[in-house]
Structures are given as C-alpha cells and as structure tokens.
Amino acid sequence: MLLNDHRTLFLTSLREGLRRTRDLKYIKPQAILLSGVNGAILHSASQLSTTTYDFIIVGAGPGGSAVANRLSEDAKTTVLLVEAGGLNDDDITLEVPLLCTRLTPSTRWDWNYTTTPQAGLNGRSVPFPRGIGLGGSSAVNCLVYTRGSKENIDEWAKLSGDESWGWDQLLPYFKKSEKFNFPVDGHNITGQFDPSVHGFDGFIGVSVPNAPRAIDGRIIQTTQELEEFPFKLDMNSGEHLGVGWVQSLIDRGVRSSSKAYLVAPDVAKRPNLDILLNAQVSRALRTSTSGSTMEFKGVEFKDRTDGAIKTLAAKKEVILSAGAVSSPVILMHSGIGPKSLLDSLNITTHVDLPSVGQNLTDHIGVSSTWSVNSTLTFDTVLRNDTLLESLLEEWRTNKTGLLTVTSENHAAFLRIPENSSFWEEFQGQDPAAGKNTAHFEFLFQNGLSVKTDQGNFFNFPTGNVSPLSRGSVTINSSDPFAAPLIDPGLLTNKIDIVVVREAIRSARRFLTASAWDGYLLEAMNTAETDDELDEYIRQEAVSFFHPVATAAMSPVGADWGVVDPDLKVKGVVGLRVVDAAVAPSLPSAHTSAAVYAIAEKASDLIKAAWGII
C-alpha cells in the first residue's frame, strides 16, 4: 500500500468517524454491575451481611475474576471476591484503548512499585507497574493478546509432571475465556486471523485492529520483501513465528479487562456472588490442624476505608489470585515460605516452602526510535488538543476511530538466525522452549514514544521473550502492608543481553526493506558495536511487566515449587493460588491470555474437587 493510500485512510477515519452510525450502545460496565439487585458490590467491610462464604477469592485480576464467575455459576455456592482497590470506573482513560500508555506508572490505578537496583541495568531501579482495583493489571496493561508457542505451554506439562497442562489440553480453555469480536471499522479481516483457533462465546474481548495506521502497508510489504521476516496469519495458533496483525484485548472499541467476567448482566445479578472493594488482604489464616496437616481457610485484611483489621472465613477454600507479586507476599506473611527468611523477621513458619517468591521470570526490552518524514503519526494527535478531543468525542459517541486500537497494529515473534555468531558464542545453547519458539519480539509503534513538541517518530520496541535471568519477590518486614522487594534480576544472565542486542540488529535489518524508503529520517539510537549496544541496553531497557513463576506449580511430592498441579499450596489444606505466579515458566508472549486459561482450568479443577456442577 502506498503512502497516499495511508493518508486517505487516516483522513477518512478523522472526517467520517463522527458521521458513522453504529447499532451499539456503550453502557459503563460498572453501571450494569451496580444495577444488580441481588449480588452486592461492597465498598467497605461494614456492608458485609456475613463474613463466611464457601469460597473467598483474593484479587480481582484475570485469575480471581474468572474463578469468581465460574464458581458462582452454581447458585448454591457462595463466593466472595476481595479486592484491595476500587471500581476503576471513574476515568475515560481506563476504557479508551490507545490511552493505555497513560495508566502506569505512578498513577492511582497502579501499586507504584519499583524494583530493587538492577545490576544488569547499571544499578537502576525501574518502575514495576501492577494494577490495583477491579481488573487488576488487566485494567492498566497495553492490551496485547498473545498465547505463546505450543512448545511454551507444553513446557508447563513437563515442569508440572501433569500432561493436562500442555497446549492441546489448555487450548480449549484459551478459547473458553475468549470473545473474539470483529473490528468496529467494519473492514474485511480475511487474512488477518485464523478463526479456528479462537473462541467467540467467552467473556474477554479479543480483536484485530479497529483502525488503520500509516505504517501498516510498509510492515506487510516488508514481509514480502525480506525472507527473514515471514508473515504469520495468526500468532495465537501455537505456531507464532513471524510478523502478523496484533490481537488486542478490545471489545467493540473498548478495553476488555477481567471486569468482563463480573459485569455481564446474568453474572452481576447472582445473589451468591459478592465483591468486597477496598479490602487489602494481609495473610491467609491457619484455622485448624489435623495431624501434621494445617488448614488455611481464613483471611485477614485491612479495610482501607477505616483502617480496621478484620477477618473472613471460607467453608471450602481460600484462593489467592493477587498476582505474581502479591500472592507470594501474602503467603510469606501467612507463615508459608522460606523458613530462614521468616525466622529472621519473627514470622512464625507454618510451612517451610523455600520456593515461595523465587524464580521470578520477566521479559525485558528496549525501544529504538527514528524521526520520520510524515505527520501521520500519533505524535500529531497527542499534541493537537482539538484533534484529540474530536477523536475522544468520536469514541464517546460511537466507539470508533483511531483511539480504538492499542499502541501497535502489528507485532513479530522471531528467532536469532541459525547463521548468527550467537550460536557459536553460547555453544548452541537455545534459551527458547524449542525451535518453533521466539527469542525476541517486535512491536511497531507509529509515534507515542518521544516526549517532544516537535517532529514525528516511529518507535520500535524489541524485547527478549525467552529470558534465562531469574529473580525474586520477597519481604524485609513483618508488616504485611509494607512494599515488597521486587528483584526481577534483569539481564543477570549474559545470554539475555545478547538476545536483546541481536533483536535491535534484526529490527534494523527489517527497516532496510524498500518499503521504508523515504520514510525514516534519523535514528535516535546510533550505537553500533557490541559494547555500545550493550551500554545502550543497560541504560535504557525496562521490564515488559510480565512476571510469573513466584508460586510455581511442580509435580506432586517435588521438593521445589509452591503448588501442586491442582494449584493447591503444598503441605496445607484449603488454600490454592490461581494467577500468573503458578506458571512454572514464562511463555514467549504477553501473559494475560495465559492467566485467563489458567483460571478457566482451575475453575474446573475446583468444581470437580467439590462436586460443583
């Protein structure tokens, strides 16, 4: 597609957006929820009519929201979902997809964590966003929906010792959570996705881009010009290598977070599902001991409206879904974790589980930026208040236009070429899960990156998606409300920085295609040698905020790991973990999709254990 065609598409979107008529009405999700006459939204613990439920679920992110929905499908099962934050319904920024870059860090929707000083980043401490409030991190992320490769998920089966955690068995759960929906601009999406690997009847909206970008045609043309960068029809098929259209967590032009599991009218009206907000859980409570087995069916929390410490009781189970940072922290303050650490903090050790908080694995990457010979970038939109307001009005009115997309329309998952010196340097060691799994990811961003009131830019994030570095989440205080110590150990394994370096060089090769002739003006990153690139990476790289494995599943009876394959915490009764923490390894993907699949499978496991239909 030629540049003039892109200009036409861009201007058409601006000029015609306000004139479009759509047969869809946007109702604020929380408005639906609050209209329920049966199940309750409780803003304070003082509103609780009971403190005992069959199941108490901690955290309203992807894990907790999905499990709360599925368990409450049985009208005889009472469920309480406990969330530290609020409704997350009071700002348009939370709903408009392209405004995702404004949600973190250092906002009221973020826990506002930072890492410990990272040796691999020249001693820098970097932001480590985690969402707070309904939706958790799914309410503040940048919406990219990817599952990883078949090899990634099959690795879970190997590490857990349970074949039911493999790709073929989990694919139905990926699909069960998903509500694939068609773009609001009505364009033909033939050739942009494979419908056979998607679900259409779930709760979480997934869509290919809702509006074109000026660089779309250049990217697709490059896949035709350069053999190194093949086109991939659907990177969520289990075979993800190549360049393809991004699938995003968007439902008819609106962000789709885990709140979708709670706001559907039939769910919101369930009398057996209550949601308690502003309740920060400090620990799971030991409620009894039978022989050598301890039972944890209680929860302690702080009511953030009055500061009071209160308790809840579960008849059947407590389910921690507070995320890869908070779930292990809650476990440690509950006396479940490394005995040496807990003893040093005068926390009574109930179960010595050294793996709690360990094995933190996260993606890392860095952006390279070019100035461009075009005004058709989002830099123009974001510095023109009149234009931006017109696009916001279009979104408010019809849920259409340029703001209905996330920060990229395309992504790529790629491997280091076989002829690279990389393989000789590391003696053939492959950090990926297999030869069909990516080492690095590309994101193609048409603007958004440079904080300046002049010029237009192309931003090219490149990330290592098969890292070997490992870190930890731990505590250094007996105060359960103190900030945790988050050490992702970024770039502590030498192979990881080499992968990022090779990703940058691969990105530069991508831009040598004639498709980019006359478009790129000046590179902001001019590092060339290995040493120069490594220094650039150490100074500029950041986490991609995809932490997993801090309460990893392992085989029954294993002396490592935190939960068994049924996600029950080892050595105790009545306590499970259902969130990204239980993933035993990090997929080469953004992690929301994986957590939804984990939660759907976990729901079936819990139902089967308790005979729930």
Side-chain angles (χ1 to χ4, degrees):
M1 188 176 287
L2 299 177
L3 183 59
N4 284 339
D5 296 320
H6 291 301
R7 185 182 300 275
T8 300
L9 287 171
F10 184 89
L11 292 175
T12 297
S13 179
L14 292 183
R15 293 169 181 163
E16 295 184 2
L18 289 173
R19 298 197 297 269
R20 292 189 183 114
T21 300
R22 297 286 173 183
D23 293 327
L24 58 112
K25 300 291 184 183
Y26 181 68
I27 304 173
K28 215 181 229 186
Q30 284 71 33
I32 297 173
L33 192 61
L34 289 171
S35 70
V37 296
N38 298 315
I41 285 280
L42 310 171
H43 293 269
S44 167
S46 63
Q47 298 174 300
L48 286 167
S49 60
T50 179
T51 57
T52 302
Y53 292 78
D54 290 325
F55 295 95
I56 296 173
I57 302 168
V58 179
S65 297
V67 174
N69 175 307
R70 296 304 185 187
L71 294 184
S72 63
E73 287 175 333
D74 176 30
K76 293 180 286 188
T77 299
T78 58
V79 178
L80 177 66
L81 178 61
V82 182
E83 168 55 43
L87 283 173
N88 280 349
D89 72 334
D90 60 346
D91 194 298
I92 194 174
T93 311
L94 290 155
E95 313 276 2
V96 180
L98 189 59
L99 299 186
C100 65
T101 57
R102 298 182 175 185
L103 293 171
T104 64
S106 303
T107 68
R108 57 193 172 92
W109 308 296
D110 183 4
W111 282 99
N112 296 318
Y113 294 136
T114 55
T115 68
T116 60
Q118 297 293 289
L121 302 182
N122 288 343
R124 290 185 294 130
S125 294
V126 296
F128 206 81
R130 298 284 87 200
I132 181 172
L134 280 190
S137 293
S138 74
V140 299
N141 65 15
C142 267
L143 302 164
V144 175
Y145 177 88
T146 50
R147 299 170 178 168
S149 71
K150 182 179 187 296
E151 292 166 337
N152 281 144
I153 306 304
D154 283 344
E155 189 172 51
W156 290 5
K158 295 175 186 175
L159 291 170
S160 68
D162 187 329
E163 287 302 314
S164 72
W165 285 102
W167 172 267
D168 291 341
Q169 293 78 12
L170 271 190
L171 182 57
Y173 289 114
F174 279 110
K175 295 168 74 172
K176 184 178 181 180
S177 68
E178 182 185 4
K179 181 177 68 174
F180 192 93
N181 62 105
F182 295 92
V184 293
D185 68 357
H187 76 269
N188 185 346
I189 62 173
T190 302
Q192 293 187 358
F193 86 122
D194 177 359
S196 70
V197 297
H198 290 280
F200 295 83
D201 301 314
F203 289 92
I204 302 304
V206 176
S207 181
V208 294
N210 287 286
R213 280 189 170 86
I215 58 174
D216 290 351
R218 298 180 190 277
I219 293 166
I220 297 301
Q221 184 179 333
T222 301
T223 68
Q224 298 164 355
E225 287 188 37
L226 301 181
E227 185 178 353
E228 183 180 351
F229 306 103
F231 177 75
K232 170 57 64 176
L233 173 62
D234 197 315
M235 58 188 67
N236 284 317
S237 64
E239 299 177 359
H240 71 165
L241 295 177
V243 182
W245 293 89
V246 159
Q247 295 170 18
S248 300
L249 294 158
I250 297 172
D251 189 353
R252 298 298 295 169
V254 182
R255 170 187 287 274
S256 184
S257 74
S258 63
K259 289 189 289 185
Y261 272 99
L262 306 173
V263 302
D266 65 321
V267 179
K269 293 182 179 180
R270 291 174 186 168
N272 58 324
L273 172 60
D274 289 343
I275 301 172
L276 176 60
L277 302 173
N278 305 306
Q280 185 176 354
V281 169
S282 49
R283 54 176 61 91
L285 298 174
R286 190 181 75 174
T287 48
S288 69
T289 302
S290 177
S292 61
T293 302
M294 298 181 184
E295 179 182 87
F296 284 75
K297 293 188 178 181
V299 165
E300 178 188 87
F301 69 97
K302 178 171 68 175
D303 187 331
R304 299 178 76 199
T305 64
D306 61 14
I309 302 298
K310 302 175 182 180
T311 61
L312 299 163
K315 297 176 185 177
K316 292 182 169 66
E317 292 186 18
V318 170
I319 299 162
L320 298 183
S321 298
V325 171
S326 293
S327 283
V329 168
I330 292 171
L331 285 174
M332 284 183 271
H333 284 294
S334 306
I336 301 171
K339 186 177 188 303
S340 58
L341 171 65
L342 301 184
D343 286 351
S344 72
L345 298 174
N346 294 317
I347 298 173
T348 300
T349 302
H350 295 303
V351 182
D352 182 14
L353 277 182
S355 293
V356 172
Q358 301 302 303
N359 202 40
L360 172 61
T361 314
D362 192 15
H363 295 145
I364 184 169
V366 67
S367 288
S368 298
T369 303
W370 283 259
S371 59
V372 299
N373 183 27
S374 172
T375 58
L376 301 182
T377 75
F378 284 114
D379 307 295
T380 295
V381 174
L382 296 177
R383 68 171 67 107
N384 183 328
D385 290 343
T386 301
L387 176 55
L388 178 57
E389 181 53 37
S390 73
L391 292 171
L392 284 169
E393 182 58 28
E394 177 183 359
W395 184 89
R396 292 186 191 100
T397 304
N398 296 318
K399 304 303 173 288
T400 58
L402 295 179
L403 301 185
T404 62
V405 292
T406 187
S407 48
E408 50 275 323
N409 274 7
H410 292 87
F413 289 92
L414 301 162
R415 287 176 60 81
I416 294 172
E418 294 299 323
N419 62 358
S420 170
S421 61
F422 170 90
W423 299 104
E424 182 178 350
E425 180 179 358
F426 293 100
Q427 299 179 334
Q429 179 182 9
D430 190 346
K435 292 190 177 298
N436 297 304
T437 300
H439 296 126
F440 54 86
E441 174 187 19
F442 289 168
L443 297 171
F444 303 91
Q445 297 177 344
N446 190 33
L448 298 177
S449 66
V450 178
K451 295 180 180 179
T452 176
D453 60 0
Q454 294 182 345
N456 293 76
F457 302 91
F458 170 65
N459 193 44
F460 205 160
T462 51
N464 181 339
V465 293
S466 291
L468 295 184
S469 298
R470 298 292 183 267
S472 65
V473 174
T474 190
I475 57 177
N476 64 352
S477 168
S478 59
D479 176 4
F481 305 110
L485 300 179
I486 303 172
D487 177 12
L490 299 171
L491 299 181
T492 52
N493 189 305
K494 181 183 177 183
I495 203 169
D496 287 352
I497 194 168
V498 177
V499 169
V500 179
R501 184 204 306 159
E502 291 304 306
I504 293 172
R505 286 177 169 154
S506 179
R508 291 172 175 177
R509 292 195 297 272
F510 187 92
L511 297 177
T512 63
S514 64
W516 300 92
D517 288 354
Y519 189 72
L520 305 174
L521 296 177
E522 182 181 5
M524 306 292 105
N525 169 19
T526 58
E528 292 291 344
T529 68
D530 289 356
D531 287 346
E532 289 171 344
L533 283 168
D534 287 356
E535 180 58 25
Y536 176 80
I537 294 165
R538 293 193 190 281
Q539 194 57 40
E540 300 294 333
V542 295
S543 161
F544 273 23
F545 319 131
H546 298 151
V548 303
T550 51
M553 70 175 97
S554 65
V556 174
D559 61 0
W560 61 277
V562 176
V563 299
D564 288 331
D566 59 6
L567 308 186
K568 293 180 180 178
V569 176
K570 293 176 180 290
V572 307
V573 171
L575 187 59
R576 294 190 207 231
V577 182
V578 181
D579 57 31
V582 303
S585 62
L586 178 59
S588 300
H590 301 236
T591 46
S592 293
V595 181
Y596 288 124
I598 288 170
E600 289 283 8
K601 177 176 171 60
S603 298
D604 279 357
L605 290 171
I606 296 166
K607 286 181 174 182
W610 292 99
I612 298 172
I613 297 174

